[in-house]
Amino acid sequence: MTIHTIKIDPQWFDRVANGTKRVEIHRADRDYQIGDQLHMYEYEMTALASRNTGRAVIVNVTHVLYSVPGLSMDHVALSISNPRVQEPGESATT
């Protein structure tokens, strides 16, 4: 099992955290596997800067799909489940 640390836009954070968004599309620049975890840190991005809001959600990868019709070959669709919200200052191991 590998832990992948990635950014997530605020517009998607709550949907992942409450379990209503269950698929992530990402660049296929990592060896994503079933059983991996995504540690998703909320980032606010503007034209001038980006900042970590301190909120995070940890999810399990339950399915990995490469070569999705209509999706660029350098992207992957990841099914995710079991979201666990990590509050600012909370350790990922708690």
Side-chain angles (χ1 to χ4, degrees):
M1 189 245 340
T2 302
I3 297 171
H4 303 279
T5 302
I6 59 176
K7 296 177 184 176
I8 185 170
D9 192 272
Q11 71 174 330
W12 304 118
F13 183 88
D14 289 328
R15 292 177 182 144
V16 170
N18 70 23
T20 57
K21 183 176 186 295
R22 293 176 271 187
V23 174
E24 277 295 307
I25 306 295
H26 278 277
R27 278 204 159 124
D29 59 351
R30 306 172 191 214
D31 184 27
Y32 292 110
Q33 298 291 320
I34 294 171
D36 287 354
Q37 287 186 342
L38 303 181
H39 287 217
M40 307 169 79
Y41 292 89
E42 183 183 44
Y43 268 78
E44 291 180 330
M45 297 185 203
T46 67
L48 301 176
S50 66
R51 76 172 184 93
N52 183 336
T53 66
R55 296 198 315 163
V57 62
I58 301 166
V59 296
N60 297 330
V61 175
T62 59
H63 186 77
V64 180
L65 186 60
Y66 292 93
S67 302
V68 178
L71 191 61
S72 171
M73 290 298 295
D74 63 345
H75 283 76
V76 61
L78 305 169
S79 296
I80 57 175
S81 69
N82 196 23
R84 295 160 320 276
V85 175
Q86 183 178 334
E87 297 300 328
E90 183 182 347
S91 169
T93 59
T94 58

